[in-house]
Amino acid sequence: MTSERHFKPEAILNIRLLVVDDEDDFREIIHKRMSRFGVNPNLAACCSDALASMEAQPADVVILDVAMPGMDGIQCLGKIKGRWPLAEVIILTGHASVKSGMDGMQRGAFDYCLKPIDVMELLEKVELAAQKTLVNREEGMA
Amino acid sequence: MKRLWNSIKDALGIDTRPRLSSEALQEMFKTRYRAFRELLTANSAALEAMAEMEVAVAEEKTYSISFIRSKCTVIIVNLYKMIRNLLLMSDGRYVNLEPAFHRIEEQIIDIIEKKISGNDAGEWLLPINQVNRGIAAQCGEKMANIGEVATLPGVTIPPGFVITASASRAFYLNNDLYNAINRFHHLIDINDIEDISKKSEAIGKLIIDSPLPPSLEQQIYANYDRLTELAGRDILLAVRSSALGEDLEQASFAGLYDSVLNVKRDGLIKAYKEVLASKYSAAAISYRLNKGYMHEDSTMCVGCMIMIEAMVSGVCYSRALSGNDQEMDIFFSQGSAEGIVDGTKNAGHAVMNRAAPFHLVAMKRAEDGGEGFSEAKALELAMVAMRLEEHFGAPQDIEWCLDAANCLYILQSRPISALLFRDRQEEEETVIDDGRLLMRGGVTGCGGAGCGPVRVVRNHADMMAFQKGEVLLVEHPLPEWAPLIQQAAALVAESGSEAGHLATISREFALPSLFALEQATHTLDDGDDITVDASNRAIYRGRVEELLQEVRKQPNLMSGSPVEKTMTEVLKLITPLNLTDPASPYFRGAYCKTMHDITRFCHEKSVTEMFSFGQRYQFADGASKQMITEDAKPLDWHVINLADGFSDDFDTKSNFIRISQITSQPMQAIWEGMHAYPWEGPPAGGVRGMGNIIFQSAMNPTLDPAISSGLTKKNYFLISRNYCNLSVRLGYHYAMVEAFISSLRTERYVTFRFRGGAADETNRVGRIELISQVLEYFQFRVEKTGDALAARVEKREQKFIADRLRVLGYLCIHTRQIDMVIDNPQHFQRYRNKFQTEIEAMIGNDQ
């Protein structure tokens, strides 16, 4: 795709990104593709890993799968927004459901996306979330 | 009331506007602009998803229920985002919007989410002689019919039992299979046979590995034991599919589900699960996706019947497939009948008359047997067939067999699919005799002609290698080749008949097909281009143009399917636009009836909120500035800066601004389009009466006309560096141009709305038509309703977007008043040519 050349990560380079997904392949591919743009996300395979990772190194933007063993993504979103309200969460799921989409949005998700998703498109969503989180940070300090 | 009080205070000259510090206002304005920007992005995402749904329907594409669910989710989630941001921007106005939105949302959920309830009190097993069409929803059409057949005098069926729909649902729910299987379906690519194959295997494994509810397992064994006792000997069972929704008129599901034969007691549970899993064979998944069925639509019931050791078996059509309504067809062969419907056997063929006294019209035996089928048995079968037809009220497609004692058993009876009947034209076969003819003969499955390179398919690997547009050549027309039907140019099989499953499917998909063409795989070479003329049963070398003139009409495969119905229902709640006129008293949140209304409303109100902020809060930075020429002449254009749209050297206290001080990229592009060519003035012959004065004064489009106050409202640009929204009222028409040119693709779009005019309706609509043709030429997506038009482009390169803005800038100026003369076709054509030529010269030809 020609658009790859045109995407210049900006805000995204100034934030910490966390990708939470129980599929090993998915995490690996996302990590590989994103690192081409200088983006190096933290990775977690389930919600409790994600929360542990956040405790150790809080992320500003989180990409969160919905169907995961243990706590599902929507519950996890609640935990994250409760403890780190300035973090922006992008839900990314393989199974479209209006209900879970609305659930996620009402619990404060920044966006709700469906797999399969083009990495470029996902990066753009992360960039938008990153811009917002930088504003959050600024306002949080003010 | 409060509003009234405010307007009284206004009238008295009392300032009612809230007072806030300039920093606080600056902050507020910034926050609102950010919300506005998020709203615009969400608007784009929602409109894009709506357009994708409309395109899928308009172009008769094949789409799945997952597609509908995904798009609905995208739309609803983004609309929610729009509403949230609008409320944030508007000090809590528009409270009626959210209830309207949730009302529509709930209606949509009701349509797209299938709820399969767990409190299903139906029996899990039923003896076959207790089922009938009254309970087809529990046992499937196939078993319902066969159960009913058993009650007719003189008709015998093998004893057995049915494992019901309730049982299958209990099994699914116990193992959470609906959700697990849907997860696979969401990501299936309909055109990727390999992908479908893999998913099919994974789903199959999931089913085989899932345990049955223990009491279901016990009941199955108990029923088997009862049958054994009844037979008084060891028995083998035929375990057959009897899916709900199978054998419908529009969708035959011909042969797509498995039967497992010769099943012993210890293999029974596995065989049951195998039949359930056959619902997810690659062929079945692909067929459902193509025809618009959901896997939840067809619960699998399973019939278990004692195996009859067949000496002779076959298929009987109580009305001949040739279309002759005085005759019936009987196909027969030695041993079991599976080979006939599978297409692996060449069958004998008897033709009988349809009224008593029955007699044989013609009989042709196949080389490999069927000797055991006597004329007397043919008469008995004909009698039974007519009895079945009479009972069910329609010609029947009957599977039958004779056991060692020459006893006749009916194994299945169902209405003949309309697709089986061939057109009754006694078509004269014509063959082109110029040396290109390669083969002649066979049986036409589906008429028509197709051309492409030959691909012999014998196994799974061949199937994966198959390319779109090739001629599918097989030895046996097995149902498992069905996924290739959609991709093939034609189908040729060495064996089989027009009665086989694959023949039926080829007719559904209008694929030219030829069966029982012996030696085809030896005569035709892999990779050679051939033309298959299925109607005339001939095959030619190369491409025979004269046969391919008739364009193969791809039938609308989704027509009448559950998925299509779901789409139609759900679109009613999504795409119609009722809120078209912001000035109307009905342009309110509470009147939103569709998701499109909600987006329209949110968008309109958000622009208004940004527009009026400066005035409402006495915020100088957010107030409008008037455009002036470089030599300080006033222009009839006004600009409001939402963020970073003015250059740093601009003094924010000033009330006037020059174009050189504008940093908004989209506004610059529109401006260029407006000024690239001088307006040629009002069209000659269209100028009448008082209008003349106005037209004259408008000759120079940018100079402030002294008389404008009454007729033209101000024309506003709302801008930021990346954004521009232009509202224009030029003469009698209203236009809105809006764009975001961001470095992010997700944020890029141009949208255009145009409405009104001074001419009569025919002319106004004529102008809309002209504009829409020009816009489509420049690759806009256009939607017209009466004398209004909306056009959109999104996610393209930045230059492409900027050029579209130049197009719109040009059109805003040059379409003025041409509605007065557009009913003249010559004018129409002249304007069209002029517009396209000038615009192309302006933007450089990037078509």
Side-chain angles (χ1 to χ4, degrees), chain B residues 33 42 129 172 234 424 431 519 672 703:
Chain B
Y33 175 65
N129 53 12
Y172 270 61
D234 279 349
R424 252 221 98 183
V431 173
Q519 295 296 314
E672 278 167 39
L703 284 180

Short mmCIF file of all heavy atoms in Angstrom, two decimals, chain B residues 33 42 129 172 234 424 431 519 672 703:
data_model
loop_
_atom_site.label_atom_id
_atom_site.label_comp_id
_atom_site.label_asym_id
_atom_site.label_seq_id
_atom_site.Cartn_x
_atom_site.Cartn_y
_atom_site.Cartn_z
N TYR B 33 -13.58 22.41 19.96
CA TYR B 33 -13.04 22.09 18.64
C TYR B 33 -12.56 20.64 18.59
O TYR B 33 -12.76 19.94 17.61
CB TYR B 33 -11.91 23.04 18.25
CG TYR B 33 -11.28 22.64 16.93
CD1 TYR B 33 -12.03 22.69 15.75
CD2 TYR B 33 -9.98 22.16 16.87
CE1 TYR B 33 -11.49 22.29 14.54
CE2 TYR B 33 -9.44 21.75 15.65
CZ TYR B 33 -10.19 21.82 14.50
OH TYR B 33 -9.66 21.40 13.31
N ALA B 42 -15.97 10.46 13.48
CA ALA B 42 -16.99 9.44 13.71
C ALA B 42 -18.05 9.50 12.62
O ALA B 42 -18.54 8.47 12.14
CB ALA B 42 -17.63 9.64 15.09
N ASN B 129 -42.13 -43.06 13.03
CA ASN B 129 -43.55 -43.13 12.67
C ASN B 129 -44.41 -42.17 13.48
O ASN B 129 -45.61 -42.14 13.35
CB ASN B 129 -44.07 -44.57 12.76
CG ASN B 129 -43.78 -45.17 14.12
OD1 ASN B 129 -43.40 -44.45 15.05
ND2 ASN B 129 -43.96 -46.48 14.22
N TYR B 172 -25.48 -27.65 21.21
CA TYR B 172 -24.78 -26.39 20.90
C TYR B 172 -24.66 -25.53 22.15
O TYR B 172 -23.59 -25.00 22.46
CB TYR B 172 -25.55 -25.61 19.83
CG TYR B 172 -25.16 -25.91 18.41
CD1 TYR B 172 -25.30 -27.19 17.89
CD2 TYR B 172 -24.66 -24.92 17.58
CE1 TYR B 172 -24.94 -27.47 16.57
CE2 TYR B 172 -24.30 -25.18 16.26
CZ TYR B 172 -24.45 -26.45 15.77
OH TYR B 172 -24.10 -26.73 14.47
N ASP B 234 -29.17 -58.19 14.35
CA ASP B 234 -28.23 -57.07 14.40
C ASP B 234 -28.58 -56.08 13.29
O ASP B 234 -28.87 -56.51 12.17
CB ASP B 234 -26.80 -57.56 14.17
CG ASP B 234 -26.23 -58.13 15.45
OD1 ASP B 234 -26.87 -57.94 16.50
OD2 ASP B 234 -25.17 -58.77 15.39
N ARG B 424 -38.85 -26.23 -21.54
CA ARG B 424 -39.47 -27.22 -22.42
C ARG B 424 -39.37 -26.85 -23.87
O ARG B 424 -40.20 -27.23 -24.68
CB ARG B 424 -40.94 -27.44 -22.04
CG ARG B 424 -41.18 -28.75 -21.39
CD ARG B 424 -42.46 -29.38 -21.89
NE ARG B 424 -42.24 -30.37 -22.93
CZ ARG B 424 -43.24 -30.98 -23.55
NH1 ARG B 424 -44.46 -30.67 -23.27
NH2 ARG B 424 -42.98 -31.88 -24.47
N VAL B 431 -24.56 -26.99 -34.13
CA VAL B 431 -23.14 -27.21 -33.91
C VAL B 431 -22.37 -26.50 -35.01
O VAL B 431 -22.74 -26.57 -36.18
CB VAL B 431 -22.82 -28.72 -33.92
CG1 VAL B 431 -21.32 -28.93 -33.85
CG2 VAL B 431 -23.50 -29.40 -32.74
N GLN B 519 -15.05 -39.71 -21.38
CA GLN B 519 -13.70 -39.47 -21.91
C GLN B 519 -13.25 -38.00 -21.90
O GLN B 519 -12.19 -37.68 -22.42
CB GLN B 519 -13.58 -40.00 -23.36
CG GLN B 519 -13.72 -41.50 -23.48
CD GLN B 519 -12.61 -42.25 -22.76
OE1 GLN B 519 -11.44 -41.91 -22.88
NE2 GLN B 519 -12.98 -43.25 -21.98
N GLU B 672 -9.26 28.52 -4.64
CA GLU B 672 -8.65 28.39 -5.96
C GLU B 672 -9.66 27.94 -7.00
O GLU B 672 -9.72 28.47 -8.11
CB GLU B 672 -7.50 27.37 -5.93
CG GLU B 672 -6.20 27.92 -5.42
CD GLU B 672 -5.20 26.81 -5.11
OE1 GLU B 672 -5.14 25.82 -5.88
OE2 GLU B 672 -4.53 26.92 -4.07
N LEU B 703 -17.31 40.22 -5.43
CA LEU B 703 -17.54 41.57 -4.93
C LEU B 703 -18.85 41.64 -4.17
O LEU B 703 -19.84 41.01 -4.52
CB LEU B 703 -17.54 42.58 -6.09
CG LEU B 703 -16.15 42.89 -6.63
CD1 LEU B 703 -16.24 43.90 -7.76
CD2 LEU B 703 -15.22 43.41 -5.54
#
